[in-house]
Amino acid sequence: MGYGICGCNKNSLEYILKSKGQGNAACIAVGGALEALEAHPAHFTLNLAHKKGFIKSAIRTGASIVPVFSFGENEVYTQVSNPVGSRVRRLQTFLTTYLGFSPPLFHGRGVFNYTFGFLPYRRPITTVVGEPLEVKQNPDPSNEEINELHIMKRSMNFTSDMSRHYKTSLKQTRKNLVFQNFII
């Protein structure tokens, strides 16, 4: 695909990571389409409990896993209230199943006003990059290997430590960042 974008599936991921030469990297938003529906200002949900496919691909190729988190992403747009079980959420979940991506209902600011439009609000986004998690290559990883790496204590500590450190230094214009349902 153009601009180096490809599908997020096992074959595409492993093709990129096995390509000859140095500097090949794959960036994955692990949460996926349904997690995007949880994106509301001053609220962040990170669910990694059942996301193991990228771990398995990393072990197969020996690629390092680099934890990255961007503070402030949920502040640039306001999503319509869609609590779990509501009509809006049921419709979004239904459409996500058939479209393959989540259709959030959101708004930002306008060109000449600041109350409604589709441009993002002017909010800072700070991206923090953790230390790489070195992965030992194994073309046929066992479930124990996958689960051991999936625990990713360093990644969990990275996110928890960074959230404590950056919550105060980011001086967000809205409420503080809240980690809800942080499942590893």
Side-chain angles (χ1 to χ4, degrees):
M1 294 181 104
Y3 302 107
I5 298 171
C6 69
C8 189
N9 59 50
K10 180 182 91 167
N11 293 336
S12 297
L13 181 61
E14 291 185 11
Y15 173 79
I16 291 170
L17 297 176
K18 289 179 180 178
S19 294
K20 299 206 184 297
Q22 292 182 332
N24 298 323
C27 300
I28 304 171
V30 180
L34 291 176
E35 192 171 283
L37 297 177
E38 297 288 336
H40 295 280
H43 176 86
F44 188 82
T45 302
L46 180 62
N47 292 311
L48 297 175
H50 302 290
K51 308 293 184 176
K52 296 182 182 180
F54 74 100
I55 300 285
K56 191 172 186 177
S57 290
I59 294 172
R60 282 183 178 159
T61 61
S64 298
I65 298 173
V66 181
V68 178
F69 189 81
S70 292
F71 293 90
E73 282 183 337
N74 292 356
E75 307 295 322
V76 295
Y77 286 102
T78 301
Q79 188 172 180
V80 172
S81 179
N82 61 345
V84 176
S86 68
R87 285 182 177 174
V88 172
R89 177 52 78 76
R90 286 195 310 263
L91 176 64
Q92 288 173 319
T93 304
F94 174 78
L95 290 173
T96 300
T97 303
Y98 290 99
L99 298 176
F101 65 92
S102 59
L105 301 172
F106 65 92
H107 68 87
R109 64 181 177 88
V111 176
F112 300 110
N113 66 31
Y114 212 74
T115 55
F116 186 82
F118 294 107
L119 294 176
Y121 292 114
R122 293 182 178 124
R123 304 274 192 268
I125 297 176
T126 303
T127 301
V128 182
V129 180
E131 292 183 28
L133 300 169
E134 298 298 325
V135 176
K136 183 180 173 187
Q137 186 173 5
N138 180 358
D140 189 29
S142 66
N143 284 337
E144 291 79 28
E145 278 182 284
I146 295 168
N147 290 333
E148 182 181 327
L149 186 58
H150 185 255
I151 292 171
M152 292 189 297
K153 290 181 181 175
R154 287 174 57 194
S155 177
M156 184 173 151
N157 290 340
F158 160 79
T159 308
S160 300
D161 292 346
M162 292 298 108
S163 68
R164 280 194 295 277
H165 179 276
Y166 282 93
K167 252 195 326 193
T168 55
S169 66
L170 288 175
K171 297 181 178 118
Q172 295 180 5
T173 57
R174 296 189 179 222
K175 299 175 189 173
N176 284 335
L177 176 67
V178 176
F179 280 95
Q180 180 181 356
N181 299 330
F182 185 74
I183 302 170
I184 296 278

